[in-house]
Amino acid sequence: MDYLVRRYGDFVLLRPPFQADTWALWLGPLAVLLLGGAGVTLYMRGRSRVADGPLSAADDAEAARLMKGQDSGIGEGG
């Protein structure tokens, strides 16, 4: 075991010591998790802003047209 550590460093150990050259091993997974969570949060916030925005006049007219078609049974079966 000592030979492997001398040759390849503490990175070959199952539980390397917490020191300056192994910080990435210990803190890397936490950093990836936090960055991923922040990315998902920002994505969802941006998505909700777009979805909650007011409809344009054309979108409002299209929605009304679709709702009328749904009430009269148009669009069923095909």
Side-chain angles (χ1 to χ4, degrees):
M1 185 66 77
D2 291 334
Y3 168 75
L4 290 173
V5 171
R6 274 195 316 272
R7 182 168 173 113
Y8 299 107
D10 291 324
F11 300 99
V12 298
L13 298 174
L14 182 60
R15 299 190 107 191
F18 189 75
Q19 55 194 25
D21 62 340
T22 59
W23 283 353
L25 291 174
W26 285 101
L27 301 177
L30 178 63
V32 169
L33 183 66
L34 290 175
L35 288 173
V40 167
T41 301
L42 290 174
Y43 174 77
M44 295 305 285
R45 278 188 183 175
R47 198 177 150 122
S48 69
R49 283 189 196 133
V50 171
D52 292 339
L55 293 177
S56 67
D59 289 337
D60 198 22
E62 178 71 11
R65 186 185 68 77
L66 290 173
M67 291 301 289
K68 285 180 186 175
Q70 184 179 22
D71 289 342
S72 64
I74 296 175
E76 293 179 11

